mmCIF file of all heavy atoms in Angstrom:
data_model
loop_
_atom_site.group_PDB
_atom_site.id
_atom_site.type_symbol
_atom_site.label_atom_id
_atom_site.label_comp_id
_atom_site.label_asym_id
_atom_site.label_seq_id
_atom_site.Cartn_x
_atom_site.Cartn_y
_atom_site.Cartn_z
ATOM 1 N N ILE A 12 0.872 -1.173 0.000
ATOM 2 C CA ILE A 12 0.000 0.000 0.000
ATOM 3 C C ILE A 12 0.910 1.224 0.000
ATOM 4 O O ILE A 12 1.786 1.332 0.854
ATOM 5 C CB ILE A 12 -0.895 0.053 1.249
ATOM 6 C CG1 ILE A 12 -1.728 -1.191 1.392
ATOM 7 C CG2 ILE A 12 -1.770 1.293 1.226
ATOM 8 C CD1 ILE A 12 -2.500 -1.241 2.689
ATOM 9 N N TYR A 13 0.697 2.113 -0.950
ATOM 10 C CA TYR A 13 1.493 3.333 -0.971
ATOM 11 C C TYR A 13 0.681 4.463 -1.588
ATOM 12 O O TYR A 13 -0.189 4.201 -2.406
ATOM 13 C CB TYR A 13 2.813 3.109 -1.724
ATOM 14 C CG TYR A 13 2.655 2.642 -3.143
ATOM 15 C CD1 TYR A 13 2.574 3.565 -4.194
ATOM 16 C CD2 TYR A 13 2.571 1.286 -3.450
ATOM 17 C CE1 TYR A 13 2.420 3.142 -5.498
ATOM 18 C CE2 TYR A 13 2.420 0.846 -4.755
ATOM 19 C CZ TYR A 13 2.346 1.786 -5.774
ATOM 20 O OH TYR A 13 2.193 1.368 -7.070
ATOM 21 N N PRO A 14 0.904 5.707 -1.167
ATOM 22 C CA PRO A 14 1.725 6.056 -0.005
ATOM 23 C C PRO A 14 1.015 5.647 1.286
ATOM 24 O O PRO A 14 -0.204 5.519 1.313
ATOM 25 C CB PRO A 14 1.832 7.573 -0.102
ATOM 26 C CG PRO A 14 0.576 8.005 -0.807
ATOM 27 C CD PRO A 14 0.260 6.881 -1.765
ATOM 28 N N ASN A 15 1.768 5.458 2.304
ATOM 29 C CA ASN A 15 1.218 5.093 3.607
ATOM 30 C C ASN A 15 2.100 5.739 4.659
ATOM 31 O O ASN A 15 3.202 5.255 4.870
ATOM 32 C CB ASN A 15 1.181 3.583 3.777
ATOM 33 C CG ASN A 15 0.316 3.136 4.937
ATOM 34 O OD1 ASN A 15 -0.327 3.957 5.577
ATOM 35 N ND2 ASN A 15 0.307 1.850 5.204
ATOM 36 N N PRO A 16 1.678 6.830 5.263
ATOM 37 C CA PRO A 16 0.364 7.439 5.347
ATOM 38 C C PRO A 16 -0.108 8.008 4.004
ATOM 39 O O PRO A 16 0.673 8.438 3.176
ATOM 40 C CB PRO A 16 0.528 8.556 6.364
ATOM 41 C CG PRO A 16 1.820 8.288 7.076
ATOM 42 C CD PRO A 16 2.653 7.487 6.164
ATOM 43 N N ALA A 17 -1.434 8.014 3.836
ATOM 44 C CA ALA A 17 -2.067 8.467 2.604
ATOM 45 C C ALA A 17 -2.972 9.655 2.902
ATOM 46 O O ALA A 17 -3.299 9.923 4.054
ATOM 47 C CB ALA A 17 -2.877 7.333 1.984
ATOM 48 N N LYS A 18 -3.395 10.344 1.819
ATOM 49 C CA LYS A 18 -4.335 11.460 1.970
ATOM 50 C C LYS A 18 -5.590 11.193 1.149
ATOM 51 O O LYS A 18 -6.578 10.728 1.683
ATOM 52 C CB LYS A 18 -3.686 12.773 1.574
ATOM 53 C CG LYS A 18 -2.607 13.197 2.544
ATOM 54 C CD LYS A 18 -2.087 14.566 2.249
ATOM 55 C CE LYS A 18 -0.969 14.860 3.239
ATOM 56 N NZ LYS A 18 -0.746 16.226 3.473
ATOM 57 N N ASN A 19 -5.547 11.469 -0.140
ATOM 58 C CA ASN A 19 -6.734 11.351 -0.983
ATOM 59 C C ASN A 19 -6.757 10.105 -1.846
ATOM 60 O O ASN A 19 -7.809 9.738 -2.357
ATOM 61 C CB ASN A 19 -6.857 12.589 -1.885
ATOM 62 C CG ASN A 19 -6.947 13.866 -1.086
ATOM 63 O OD1 ASN A 19 -7.578 13.887 -0.036
ATOM 64 N ND2 ASN A 19 -6.315 14.920 -1.548
ATOM 65 N N GLN A 20 -5.600 9.508 -2.072
ATOM 66 C CA GLN A 20 -5.509 8.329 -2.920
ATOM 67 C C GLN A 20 -4.549 7.336 -2.306
ATOM 68 O O GLN A 20 -3.632 7.695 -1.572
ATOM 69 C CB GLN A 20 -4.955 8.688 -4.309
ATOM 70 C CG GLN A 20 -5.951 9.121 -5.303
ATOM 71 C CD GLN A 20 -5.308 9.242 -6.693
ATOM 72 O OE1 GLN A 20 -4.112 9.367 -6.827
ATOM 73 N NE2 GLN A 20 -6.142 9.198 -7.706
ATOM 74 N N VAL A 21 -4.754 6.073 -2.650
ATOM 75 C CA VAL A 21 -3.837 5.034 -2.234
ATOM 76 C C VAL A 21 -3.738 4.026 -3.370
ATOM 77 O O VAL A 21 -4.716 3.781 -4.093
ATOM 78 C CB VAL A 21 -4.296 4.371 -0.908
ATOM 79 C CG1 VAL A 21 -5.569 3.596 -1.076
ATOM 80 C CG2 VAL A 21 -3.214 3.502 -0.325
ATOM 81 N N SER A 22 -2.555 3.476 -3.564
ATOM 82 C CA SER A 22 -2.356 2.428 -4.559
ATOM 83 C C SER A 22 -2.111 1.121 -3.844
ATOM 84 O O SER A 22 -1.383 1.062 -2.843
ATOM 85 C CB SER A 22 -1.165 2.757 -5.461
ATOM 86 O OG SER A 22 -1.451 3.883 -6.259
ATOM 87 N N ILE A 23 -2.738 0.071 -4.350
ATOM 88 C CA ILE A 23 -2.586 -1.267 -3.793
ATOM 89 C C ILE A 23 -1.893 -2.109 -4.846
ATOM 90 O O ILE A 23 -2.346 -2.174 -5.984
ATOM 91 C CB ILE A 23 -3.948 -1.868 -3.409
ATOM 92 C CG1 ILE A 23 -4.607 -1.001 -2.338
ATOM 93 C CG2 ILE A 23 -3.794 -3.308 -2.955
ATOM 94 C CD1 ILE A 23 -6.029 -1.361 -2.029
ATOM 95 N N GLU A 24 -0.796 -2.746 -4.456
ATOM 96 C CA GLU A 24 -0.030 -3.545 -5.397
ATOM 97 C C GLU A 24 -0.044 -5.003 -4.965
ATOM 98 O O GLU A 24 0.373 -5.346 -3.874
ATOM 99 C CB GLU A 24 1.415 -3.055 -5.478
ATOM 100 C CG GLU A 24 2.225 -3.796 -6.511
ATOM 101 C CD GLU A 24 3.615 -3.243 -6.656
ATOM 102 O OE1 GLU A 24 3.815 -2.051 -6.372
ATOM 103 O OE2 GLU A 24 4.495 -4.000 -7.052
ATOM 104 N N SER A 25 -0.570 -5.838 -5.850
ATOM 105 C CA SER A 25 -0.630 -7.270 -5.609
ATOM 106 C C SER A 25 -0.108 -7.978 -6.849
ATOM 107 O O SER A 25 -0.860 -8.265 -7.768
ATOM 108 C CB SER A 25 -2.067 -7.707 -5.325
ATOM 109 O OG SER A 25 -2.142 -9.116 -5.368
ATOM 110 N N ALA A 26 1.168 -8.232 -6.868
ATOM 111 C CA ALA A 26 1.778 -8.848 -8.046
ATOM 112 C C ALA A 26 1.684 -10.365 -8.011
ATOM 113 O O ALA A 26 1.838 -11.019 -9.032
ATOM 114 C CB ALA A 26 3.237 -8.415 -8.153
ATOM 115 N N GLN A 27 1.421 -10.951 -6.848
ATOM 116 C CA GLN A 27 1.485 -12.404 -6.706
ATOM 117 C C GLN A 27 0.169 -13.121 -6.960
ATOM 118 O O GLN A 27 0.167 -14.248 -7.422
ATOM 119 C CB GLN A 27 1.974 -12.770 -5.300
ATOM 120 C CG GLN A 27 3.397 -12.331 -5.034
ATOM 121 C CD GLN A 27 3.793 -12.647 -3.618
ATOM 122 O OE1 GLN A 27 3.039 -12.401 -2.690
ATOM 123 N NE2 GLN A 27 4.977 -13.207 -3.454
ATOM 124 N N ALA A 28 -0.953 -12.494 -6.613
ATOM 125 C CA ALA A 28 -2.233 -13.201 -6.696
ATOM 126 C C ALA A 28 -3.343 -12.237 -7.099
ATOM 127 O O ALA A 28 -3.257 -11.038 -6.841
ATOM 128 C CB ALA A 28 -2.573 -13.852 -5.358
ATOM 129 N N GLY A 29 -4.381 -12.781 -7.723
ATOM 130 C CA GLY A 29 -5.505 -11.969 -8.160
ATOM 131 C C GLY A 29 -6.363 -11.505 -7.006
ATOM 132 O O GLY A 29 -6.622 -12.241 -6.070
ATOM 133 N N VAL A 30 -6.811 -10.264 -7.088
ATOM 134 C CA VAL A 30 -7.681 -9.661 -6.085
ATOM 135 C C VAL A 30 -9.086 -9.593 -6.661
ATOM 136 O O VAL A 30 -9.274 -9.285 -7.835
ATOM 137 C CB VAL A 30 -7.188 -8.241 -5.733
ATOM 138 C CG1 VAL A 30 -8.167 -7.535 -4.803
ATOM 139 C CG2 VAL A 30 -5.800 -8.294 -5.131
ATOM 140 N N ASP A 31 -10.091 -9.888 -5.836
ATOM 141 C CA ASP A 31 -11.494 -9.772 -6.234
ATOM 142 C C ASP A 31 -12.212 -8.656 -5.499
ATOM 143 O O ASP A 31 -13.181 -8.109 -5.999
ATOM 144 C CB ASP A 31 -12.241 -11.086 -5.995
ATOM 145 C CG ASP A 31 -11.781 -12.189 -6.917
ATOM 146 O OD1 ASP A 31 -11.425 -11.896 -8.075
ATOM 147 O OD2 ASP A 31 -11.766 -13.352 -6.485
ATOM 148 N N ASN A 32 -11.774 -8.348 -4.261
ATOM 149 C CA ASN A 32 -12.472 -7.350 -3.464
ATOM 150 C C ASN A 32 -11.480 -6.611 -2.581
ATOM 151 O O ASN A 32 -10.551 -7.217 -2.051
ATOM 152 C CB ASN A 32 -13.548 -8.017 -2.600
ATOM 153 C CG ASN A 32 -14.332 -7.012 -1.771
ATOM 154 O OD1 ASN A 32 -13.944 -6.703 -0.654
ATOM 155 N ND2 ASN A 32 -15.407 -6.487 -2.319
ATOM 156 N N ILE A 33 -11.709 -5.303 -2.429
ATOM 157 C CA ILE A 33 -10.919 -4.459 -1.533
ATOM 158 C C ILE A 33 -11.862 -3.966 -0.444
ATOM 159 O O ILE A 33 -12.928 -3.433 -0.748
ATOM 160 C CB ILE A 33 -10.346 -3.237 -2.273
ATOM 161 C CG1 ILE A 33 -9.492 -3.661 -3.455
ATOM 162 C CG2 ILE A 33 -9.573 -2.339 -1.308
ATOM 163 C CD1 ILE A 33 -9.154 -2.513 -4.405
ATOM 164 N N LYS A 34 -11.474 -4.150 0.817
ATOM 165 C CA LYS A 34 -12.249 -3.623 1.945
ATOM 166 C C LYS A 34 -11.313 -2.825 2.830
ATOM 167 O O LYS A 34 -10.184 -3.227 3.071
ATOM 168 C CB LYS A 34 -12.853 -4.756 2.768
ATOM 169 C CG LYS A 34 -14.129 -5.301 2.228
ATOM 170 C CD LYS A 34 -14.816 -6.173 3.269
ATOM 171 C CE LYS A 34 -16.155 -6.612 2.781
ATOM 172 N NZ LYS A 34 -16.177 -7.756 1.952
ATOM 173 N N ILE A 35 -11.812 -1.691 3.313
ATOM 174 C CA ILE A 35 -11.099 -0.916 4.319
ATOM 175 C C ILE A 35 -11.996 -0.871 5.551
ATOM 176 O O ILE A 35 -13.180 -0.539 5.457
ATOM 177 C CB ILE A 35 -10.761 0.500 3.815
ATOM 178 C CG1 ILE A 35 -9.882 0.410 2.558
ATOM 179 C CG2 ILE A 35 -10.055 1.293 4.919
ATOM 180 C CD1 ILE A 35 -9.536 1.753 1.929
ATOM 181 N N VAL A 36 -11.409 -1.231 6.689
ATOM 182 C CA VAL A 36 -12.153 -1.384 7.936
ATOM 183 C C VAL A 36 -11.565 -0.437 8.973
ATOM 184 O O VAL A 36 -10.339 -0.325 9.091
ATOM 185 C CB VAL A 36 -12.053 -2.849 8.435
ATOM 186 C CG1 VAL A 36 -12.807 -3.045 9.729
ATOM 187 C CG2 VAL A 36 -12.544 -3.811 7.366
ATOM 188 N N ASP A 37 -12.439 0.248 9.728
ATOM 189 C CA ASP A 37 -11.934 1.143 10.774
ATOM 190 C C ASP A 37 -11.620 0.349 12.039
ATOM 191 O O ASP A 37 -11.808 -0.874 12.092
ATOM 192 C CB ASP A 37 -12.896 2.301 11.033
ATOM 193 C CG ASP A 37 -14.218 1.889 11.676
ATOM 194 O OD1 ASP A 37 -14.355 0.743 12.141
ATOM 195 O OD2 ASP A 37 -15.134 2.741 11.708
ATOM 196 N N LEU A 38 -11.136 1.032 13.063
ATOM 197 C CA LEU A 38 -10.718 0.352 14.292
ATOM 198 C C LEU A 38 -11.884 -0.252 15.076
ATOM 199 O O LEU A 38 -11.675 -1.089 15.944
ATOM 200 C CB LEU A 38 -9.926 1.308 15.189
ATOM 201 C CG LEU A 38 -8.545 1.707 14.652
ATOM 202 C CD1 LEU A 38 -7.888 2.722 15.575
ATOM 203 C CD2 LEU A 38 -7.660 0.481 14.492
ATOM 204 N N GLN A 39 -13.114 0.155 14.769
ATOM 205 C CA GLN A 39 -14.287 -0.441 15.417
ATOM 206 C C GLN A 39 -14.804 -1.651 14.632
ATOM 207 O O GLN A 39 -15.814 -2.236 14.994
ATOM 208 C CB GLN A 39 -15.408 0.594 15.568
ATOM 209 C CG GLN A 39 -15.170 1.596 16.682
ATOM 210 C CD GLN A 39 -14.128 2.636 16.316
ATOM 211 O OE1 GLN A 39 -14.118 3.154 15.209
ATOM 212 N NE2 GLN A 39 -13.238 2.935 17.245
ATOM 213 N N GLY A 40 -14.125 -1.999 13.555
ATOM 214 C CA GLY A 40 -14.536 -3.151 12.758
ATOM 215 C C GLY A 40 -15.581 -2.843 11.705
ATOM 216 O O GLY A 40 -16.101 -3.745 11.065
#
């Protein structure tokens, strides 16, 4: 994940395996 810390955008890099869903969860779950 970059940049991390992020502001308005974030890039997710997964070169090894296919992704089907992205979820972001807060500290309360």
Side-chain angles (χ1 to χ4, degrees):
I12 303 173
Y13 58 91
N15 194 4
K18 291 187 183 205
N19 301 322
Q20 273 189 339
V21 67
S22 293
I23 299 171
E24 184 176 334
S25 168
Q27 295 177 315
V30 174
D31 292 326
N32 181 271
I33 303 167
K34 277 194 174 84
I35 300 177
V36 180
D37 68 12
L38 291 176
Q39 284 75 43

